[in-house]
Every structure is written in structure tokens, then in C-alpha cells.
Amino acid sequence: MSVHLLSSDSEPFVIDKEVAERSVLIKNMLEDIGESDASIPLPNVTAKVLKKVIEWCEHHREDPVVQDDQERRNTDIDEWDQKYMEVDQETLFDIILAANYLDIKPLLDVGCKTVANMIKGKTADEIRKTFNITNDFTPEEEAQIKKENEWAEDR
């Protein structure tokens, strides 16, 4: 059986039910509406991002559902997923938002691990530069925050 999806910019997608059900949101919708040729609208996901999400779901269609929190805490990302996540920051964050909206926990984990690895070992200034974040603290506020969080610094 195939499932019809409609992106927020009205682009239709037809994918295998098995692939679509990687998304808990879509799986629950399919259970609620039963078999239908009607398109499932996804108002929070553009065609560009939905295409990427479907690509990930296709690749991981056979994967078992992992409930192990220890496995999820591991920041290692397999080689295919690393290559998949080699996108510009805007697309990376859009994939994370789509994975969250569509309730695809393993994809959300991969996206968040990718961002965590981008941050790991960097100073606050390096993180600001990486993510183009402006520092809105006064020097006094920054000094106070550093003083309050001395315990968290690597020594």
C-alpha cells in the first residue's frame, strides 16, 4: 500500500506505507483514517525537507525501533547518517523540526547528535560564530555568568 503526503508548499509525495510509518504521527493518522487515497497534509514541512526526511526513512525502513536510552545518549553517528546530515545549517535545523513534528525519534536523535558534535569542545565565542549568534551580554553580565558557572569549565 502507498501513502499520499502533501507538503506545506502543496507538493504531493507517494511513498510506501512501511516508509511512511517511520513517522509516529503519520502511522497514527493512518490508523485513524484507515486505508485511503486521500493525501495527508503536512503543513509544517516543505517539499525540500520532506524529500530529505523520506530519503532517511527509505534508508532506515528495516531498522528496529530502539527504546534503549543508553544507545540514544551515545553521540556516535553511523557513516550513512553523517553523510546525510552534511547539509547547510538551515536545512539541518529544518530536518530536526520536521523529525520532531513527524515524531521520527531516531531522525531527531541523529539531527540533535549532529548539532551536539558541532558544539562539542568549543568555547561560547566559537559556538556563537558557528551558529551566527550575536552576543547580547554586557561585559559585566558575561563576567557574572562565567563566575556562576566556573564549576562547569574543563580544567
Side-chain angles (χ1 to χ4, degrees):
M1 180 184 153
S2 58
V3 175
H4 300 260
L5 305 175
L6 191 64
S7 68
S8 63
D9 39 0
S10 301
E11 191 169 322
F13 290 82
V14 179
I15 60 174
D16 289 344
K17 182 180 179 188
E18 176 187 25
V19 173
E21 287 184 339
R22 294 295 298 175
S23 162
V24 175
L25 175 82
I26 294 172
K27 184 177 184 188
N28 290 342
M29 285 179 161
L30 291 171
E31 287 171 1
D32 290 347
I33 63 171
E35 289 192 29
S36 169
D37 284 338
S39 291
I40 296 173
L42 300 173
N44 296 354
V45 187
T46 64
K48 175 186 168 194
V49 175
L50 186 54
K51 185 183 270 184
K52 286 290 287 178
V53 170
I54 291 168
E55 176 189 352
W56 187 91
C57 290
E58 289 271 359
H59 181 80
H60 291 280
R61 75 189 311 157
E62 309 274 323
D63 289 5
V65 177
V66 177
Q67 296 294 340
D68 182 13
D69 278 349
Q70 198 59 40
E71 175 63 29
R72 290 184 52 230
R73 283 194 195 106
N74 180 353
T75 57
D76 294 339
I77 303 172
D78 77 40
E79 191 176 337
W80 189 91
D81 285 340
Q82 282 180 17
K83 286 200 182 333
Y84 170 85
M85 287 295 180
E86 287 175 2
V87 294
D88 61 85
Q89 273 186 29
E90 182 181 1
T91 303
L92 173 60
F93 289 115
D94 285 344
I95 289 169
I96 291 170
L97 290 171
N100 186 48
Y101 170 70
L102 295 168
D103 199 354
I104 307 172
K105 201 143 201 53
L107 177 56
L108 179 61
D109 289 344
V110 168
C112 291
K113 286 176 184 182
T114 300
V115 173
N117 289 337
M118 292 167 75
I119 291 172
K120 196 184 291 183
K122 292 189 175 179
T123 66
D125 286 334
E126 291 169 329
I127 293 168
R128 282 189 195 103
K129 189 174 181 194
T130 300
F131 296 105
N132 201 21
I133 300 169
T134 55
N135 183 0
D136 57 355
F137 289 119
T138 65
E140 294 80 22
E141 289 172 325
E142 199 161 348
Q144 178 66 29
I145 290 168
K146 282 182 180 176
K147 187 174 188 296
E148 289 172 0
N149 295 290
E150 278 178 347
W151 60 270
E153 296 294 319
D154 286 336
R155 298 196 191 268

